[in-house]
Amino acid sequence: MSDTPFGFGLPPEEPENGDEGKKKDPAGGGQGSGGNPFGANPFGFGGLPGMGGPGGADNPFAAMFGSLNPNDLGAAFQQLGQMLSYEGGPVNWDMAKQIARQVVAQGTADGVKDASVGPAEKSAVEEAVRLADLWLDQVTSLPSGAGTAVAWSRAEWVEATLPAWQQLVDPVAERVGSAMGDVLPEEMQAMAGPLIGMMRSMGGAMFGQQIGQAVGALAGEVVGSTDVGLPLGPAGRAALLPLNIEAFGKDLGVPSDEVRLYLALREAAHQRLFAHVPWLRAHLFGAVEGYARGIKVDTSKLEEAVGQLDPTHPEQLQEALQQGMFQPEDTPEQKAALARLETALALVEGWVDAVVHEAAKSRLTSADALRETLRRRRASGGPAEQTFATLIGLELRPRRLRDAARLWASLTDARGVDGRDGLWEHPDMLPTATDLDDPDGFVHREHLDFSELDKMLGEAAKGESPEDGDTEK
């Protein structure tokens, strides 16, 4: 995956998936080398079957299909037809799903293939979540949020989480894609109508390909439905992936049942928050939409390219796009939205970390080791953070997660479980990014009480005045 969201601007190398179609042409056929200006793959569809031939051809379609054997050629043209005929939203989600399933079917780098979940694994997950909820009852005032517990294969995780990915990614893709039409002069838009339509279809496919690869790769490493701190799965359903849990605990020297139970505690704790803090999901997803609204695209280079565009050679515009002329730039609105999202995610993850540690420390001998393993996974740029950063440009700061966990633990000591969890009743009661810098100051500050305000608002809604009521109130 590229470092820029959705792959705008071809990277010099494809660091993770190793698609040969995205690597520099060693013979000099890559961008700026004097060979094929489109590189080995003009449209960036490195994840499609068979698309990985050598560059150097002047015809971009020759570069795309020149290396295919006859058996693959028909399938490749069929997929190209699907790309050009797409008329949906900013992301071709059918393609994203298809490619994610293909990535899952290929297996992970260690050669482990996806497999259906057996009855024994399902039973073990259900028992782990049930026990996790019993332990959490003793350390948090929020009741269970998991109506059911399920064990998913990697493919089932893809199917179950794609609706949430769509809600997260569509606003960003829509805003980025709309800049394509804005940059063309009005007199050229009519003339370039078919080209714009083709580019939108190809853009939707390019987004779908990038997202499909990312989600498919992530499916090979996540252990549940809340690894990114967001509710990606259906509400009220605690989910674990037995195959990935086995891989996670392989070299830890910890009994597999303890690993599964600790991860079940984290999944169940997330479910409690998202089930019983009704504003939290909208707050998190709204921050992503705020980020999308703040996107500005520096189209000066693209405008220059369009001004020199020869209508008889529309591939020049595709070349301009692939050379990185269409990249989002930071804006104050984006930075503010990302700061809100990063702080909210840090508070969610910090609360889960603190609550799970309290529940597990006296019951699991490996609790400290597992906690530190998960923290280091985040600090080293774990797969969830990397994928999230690629898709929407967000990078979680692990330092904030540790700060938030310390703050929640201090709140437990100072105010008790009810006082700590009561802060989730209203978003204005939660710590801010500044409070994470000074947790002691927040813990010992007189916290806000919204009960009287809520009472007054309720009376106002009924048309009553506090003075007109019972003076004993």
Side-chain angles (χ1 to χ4, degrees):
M1 292 184 290
S2 68
D3 292 334
T4 51
F6 305 106
F8 283 108
L10 282 178
E13 293 284 343
E14 179 63 31
E16 291 183 18
N17 294 336
D19 295 327
E20 294 298 321
K22 286 189 176 182
K23 292 183 178 179
K24 286 182 177 177
D25 182 4
Q31 291 183 0
S33 62
N36 172 24
F38 293 91
N41 189 337
F43 298 107
F45 296 108
L48 299 181
M51 293 188 181
D58 292 331
N59 184 340
F61 287 95
M64 180 182 285
F65 299 116
S67 67
L68 294 182
N69 62 54
N71 294 330
D72 292 335
L73 190 59
F77 274 110
Q78 182 179 6
Q79 292 208 28
L80 180 61
Q82 292 173 354
M83 297 175 203
L84 296 178
S85 63
Y86 175 69
E87 297 180 350
V91 178
N92 188 332
W93 287 101
D94 290 336
M95 174 170 287
K97 178 179 175 180
Q98 178 184 357
I99 291 178
R101 294 293 299 263
Q102 290 174 356
V103 172
V104 166
Q106 291 170 3
T108 50
D110 57 4
V112 177
K113 301 282 188 178
D114 193 21
S116 299
V117 179
E121 292 172 317
K122 292 181 180 179
S123 178
V125 166
E126 291 172 356
E127 176 62 21
V129 173
R130 185 194 66 81
L131 184 56
D133 262 334
L134 288 176
W135 289 4
L136 290 172
D137 283 339
Q138 301 173 36
V139 295
T140 175
S141 61
L142 298 180
S144 174
T148 57
V150 295
W152 284 340
S153 66
R154 293 166 178 169
E156 288 172 325
W157 183 89
V158 169
E159 295 278 352
T161 62
L162 272 180
W165 287 116
Q166 183 171 356
Q167 186 177 353
L168 285 166
V169 173
D170 267 352
V172 180
E174 178 70 41
R175 183 65 192 92
V176 172
S178 67
M180 178 61 215
D182 297 341
V183 73
L184 288 176
E186 185 175 351
E187 61 273 12
M188 184 175 287
Q189 290 188 14
M191 180 176 63
L195 173 62
I196 294 176
M198 183 188 75
M199 290 301 298
R200 285 175 178 168
S201 297
M202 296 296 290
M206 184 167 65
F207 284 126
Q209 183 262 356
Q210 183 79 5
I211 293 163
Q213 285 188 332
V215 172
L218 186 57
E221 303 192 46
V222 294
V223 295
S225 70
T226 55
D227 282 35
V228 297
L230 291 169
L232 295 180
R237 187 174 300 176
L240 295 176
L241 283 70
L243 186 63
N244 292 354
I245 290 176
E246 180 182 355
F248 172 81
K250 183 178 179 181
D251 299 320
L252 296 181
V254 176
S256 59
D257 57 338
E258 287 199 19
V259 174
R260 180 171 54 246
L261 183 51
Y262 191 87
L263 296 175
L265 281 166
R266 291 184 53 84
E267 177 75 9
H270 278 103
Q271 294 295 335
R272 290 183 182 229
L273 264 187
F274 293 122
H276 300 292
V277 181
W279 54 266
L280 184 55
R281 178 187 173 94
H283 181 74
L284 293 169
F285 281 69
V288 178
E289 293 178 4
Y291 166 82
R293 287 193 300 269
I295 286 178
K296 305 292 182 185
V297 179
D298 182 4
T299 57
S300 58
K301 291 184 179 179
L302 190 56
E303 288 173 350
E304 180 181 349
V306 169
Q308 302 173 1
L309 179 64
D310 182 351
T312 63
H313 294 87
E315 70 277 2
Q316 291 176 1
L317 186 57
Q318 176 66 24
E319 179 183 355
L321 293 176
Q322 293 287 38
Q323 289 178 344
M325 292 186 177
F326 189 58
Q327 296 183 9
E329 60 180 4
D330 288 336
T331 66
E333 294 85 356
Q334 280 181 283
K335 291 178 180 178
L338 288 182
R340 289 194 302 271
L341 184 55
E342 287 175 343
T343 300
L345 287 174
L347 292 173
V348 168
E349 290 296 277
W351 183 88
V352 168
D353 180 274
V355 167
V356 167
H357 181 68
E358 185 65 25
K361 65 181 182 180
S362 63
R363 295 182 174 96
L364 296 179
T365 57
S366 57
D368 289 337
L370 289 169
R371 184 190 202 188
E372 189 58 29
T373 297
L374 287 165
R375 284 182 165 186
R376 288 182 179 179
R377 194 185 194 203
R378 285 292 181 87
S380 62
E385 288 83 359
Q386 291 173 1
T387 299
F388 209 46
T390 301
L391 293 183
I392 69 168
L394 169 71
E395 291 184 3
L396 288 176
R397 290 169 292 176
R399 179 179 61 83
R400 300 282 80 183
L401 302 181
R402 290 180 181 266
D403 292 344
R406 284 195 293 268
L407 186 147
W408 288 117
S410 297
L411 281 168
T412 307
D413 295 336
R415 302 184 186 178
V417 168
D418 291 342
R420 177 200 65 199
D421 294 345
L423 293 177
W424 290 104
E425 292 178 2
H426 196 284
D428 290 341
M429 298 175 68
L430 286 177
T432 64
T434 302
D435 294 324
L436 294 181
D437 295 327
D438 181 22
D440 290 337
F442 178 84
V443 168
H444 298 294
R445 186 188 311 157
E446 190 67 29
H447 58 282
L448 298 175
D449 183 359
F450 284 81
S451 59
E452 279 301 316
L453 177 60
D454 291 339
K455 179 181 177 182
M456 293 175 65
L457 291 175
E459 291 171 341
K462 296 177 183 178
E464 300 176 0
S465 172
E467 300 88 34
D468 297 334
D470 185 354
T471 55
E472 294 291 318
K473 292 182 181 178

